Amino acid sequence: QVQLVESGGGLVQAGGSLRLSCATSGRTFSVYTMGWFRQAPGKEREFVARIEWSSTTYYADSVKGRFTISRDNAKNAVYLQMDSLKPEDTAVYYCAVTILPRGEYAYWGQGTQVTVSS
């Protein structure tokens, strides 16, 4: 009932920046939390950042001070500004949302590849 499409991934050198976007459609009126996750080859998917409807944010320690999550409730979109990128940031990045009253992330996008060269 909620579709998510990520965009903005690509290849950048260490120290560079990328801005990821996630567009949502469908029954978006119950969306509360919007988050970003990533999965590197051979590793488990990990939490990157989340933002609530009120714009309260939380970041993984590995990206604090470098990444910024934001949302546009009118456009039903969420963004991830990534600065000072490191090779270890290389992964497929996924957008996901929670649907009230459920607390888990119920809908996920297809992912967008981010590759950071050294």
Side-chain angles (χ1 to χ4, degrees), residues 39-111:
Q39 186 167 26
K43 297 184 178 180
E44 296 183 353
R45 182 174 296 178
E46 65 174 344
F47 166 79
V48 175
R50 72 169 187 261
I51 184 168
E52 275 66 52
W53 185 266
S54 63
S55 294
T56 298
T57 60
Y58 182 82
Y59 299 90
D61 289 340
S62 60
V63 306
K64 286 182 179 178
R66 299 189 299 119
F67 291 9
T68 303
I69 189 171
S70 62
R71 67 190 291 171
D72 186 334
N73 292 336
K75 296 182 178 180
N76 299 311
V78 62
Y79 310 94
L80 186 68
Q81 177 66 42
M82 305 184 294
D83 299 318
S84 301
L85 284 163
K86 305 175 181 179
E88 49 263 46
D89 293 319
T90 295
V92 176
Y93 283 70
Y94 298 90
C95 175
V97 300
T98 69
I99 304 296
L100 291 176
R102 299 172 64 185
E104 74 274 19
Y105 291 92
Y107 296 94
W108 297 77
Q110 84 290 343

Side-chain angles (χ1 to χ4, degrees), residues 23-50:
T24 66
S25 60
R27 300 182 74 255
T28 61
F29 54 85
S30 293
V31 171
Y32 182 68
T33 300
M34 307 183 82
W36 287 96
F37 296 77
R38 66 188 183 187
Q39 186 167 26
K43 297 184 178 180
E44 296 183 353
R45 182 174 296 178
E46 65 174 344
F47 166 79
V48 175
R50 72 169 187 261

